Amino acid sequence: EVQVVESGGGLVQPGGSLRLSCAASGFTFSSYEMNWVRQAPGKGLEWVSYISSSGGTIYYADSVKGRFTISRDNAKNSLYLQMNSLRAEDTAIYYCARDVSGHDAFDIWGQGTMVTVSS
Amino acid sequence: DIQMTQSPSSLSASVGDRVTITCRASQSISNYLNWYQQKPGKAPKLLIYAASSLQSGVPSSFSGSGSGTDFTLTISSLQPEDFATYYCQQSYSTPWTFGQGTKVEIK
């Protein structure tokens, strides 16, 4: 079964750090671009970051640039999001999403992991 | 950044109704437009990519059209499992951006 499973969410104080992971299975992870997308409670979807299949090309939303770092380990079929200097407005469900090559649509999503930034 | 505006924000419809949701981009995005369905507590599901290409496994009752700045998602005959929130997303240029969502509710 093609799937991605996120982990690493939790409660963190403002200014703190958290590292999210996404484990992929059922497909050739190293061939796919990947993304992180988030959704604040009761709100819409916000794209966060993109990484190419090799890791050589990376993009960020302005709202997280300089604070978040996306990375991947193709040998471990895993995607990561290192989140530093967290703010209350980063509180959201974070989804790992596979990219449809050539279209940048997101065809496989995980169940999400909740990040809560609060004192 | 490209702004995506959906209309309406919500609608009430009955089973069997034909439903149309509109998405407008703040600048031309060619056909780089995707549609998703999200049910409460669940991850989004890709329905349509490249404006009109049906994602594998998605019922043919869903269709997409448009290019440039104006796009539509049509559900030809609304089914009980189609009550959800729908989002459009542009993939023309980063940052990829989503519309605010359209909630389809039962009349």
Side-chain angles (χ1 to χ4, degrees), chain A residues 26 28 42 52 59 70 73 87 101 110:
Chain A
T28 305
S52 63
Y59 303 122
I70 191 172
D73 185 337
R87 306 166 180 167
S101 185

Side-chain angles (χ1 to χ4, degrees), chain A residues 46-115:
Chain A
E46 180 188 16
W47 169 79
V48 172
S49 186
Y50 157 97
I51 187 167
S52 63
S53 56
S54 67
T57 300
I58 286 172
Y59 303 122
Y60 296 102
D62 284 347
S63 57
V64 307
K65 198 174 296 182
R67 301 188 298 122
F68 289 12
T69 302
I70 191 172
S71 63
R72 66 190 296 159
D73 185 337
N74 286 340
K76 294 183 176 180
N77 293 333
S78 293
L79 175 72
Y80 306 101
L81 186 68
Q82 177 66 44
M83 304 186 296
N84 298 331
S85 303
L86 282 161
R87 306 166 180 167
E89 54 264 36
D90 296 318
T91 294
I93 298 171
Y94 285 73
Y95 294 102
C96 166
R98 191 179 80 170
D99 199 293
V100 178
S101 185
H103 297 283
D104 295 310
F106 311 134
D107 67 338
I108 302 296
W109 296 67
Q111 84 289 350
T113 188
M114 183 70 203
V115 172

Side-chain angles (χ1 to χ4, degrees), chain B residues 2-83:
Chain B
I2 298 174
Q3 308 304 316
M4 306 301 294
T5 304
Q6 290 181 231
S7 60
S9 295
S10 65
L11 65 90
S12 295
S14 300
V15 172
D17 283 354
R18 181 182 182 88
V19 169
T20 298
I21 298 169
T22 296
C23 179
R24 175 164 290 175
S26 60
Q27 66 182 73
S28 178
I29 57 171
S30 184
N31 70 332
Y32 288 87
L33 191 284
N34 312 303
W35 290 99
Y36 301 86
Q37 175 194 69
Q38 187 179 32
K39 296 180 180 179
K42 300 294 186 181
K45 173 185 175 182
L46 178 64
L47 299 175
I48 303 282
Y49 65 94
S52 60
S53 296
L54 192 67
Q55 174 67 358
S56 176
V58 174
S60 58
S61 57
F62 290 90
S63 63
S65 65
S67 66
T69 60
D70 294 319
F71 302 87
T72 60
L73 172 71
T74 300
I75 309 172
S76 60
S77 178
L78 199 64
Q79 298 302 301
E81 60 269 24
D82 300 334
F83 292 95

Side-chain angles (χ1 to χ4, degrees), chain A residues 21-33:
Chain A
S21 298
C22 169
S25 59
F27 64 98
T28 305
F29 180 72
S30 60
S31 297
Y32 285 87
E33 301 150 27

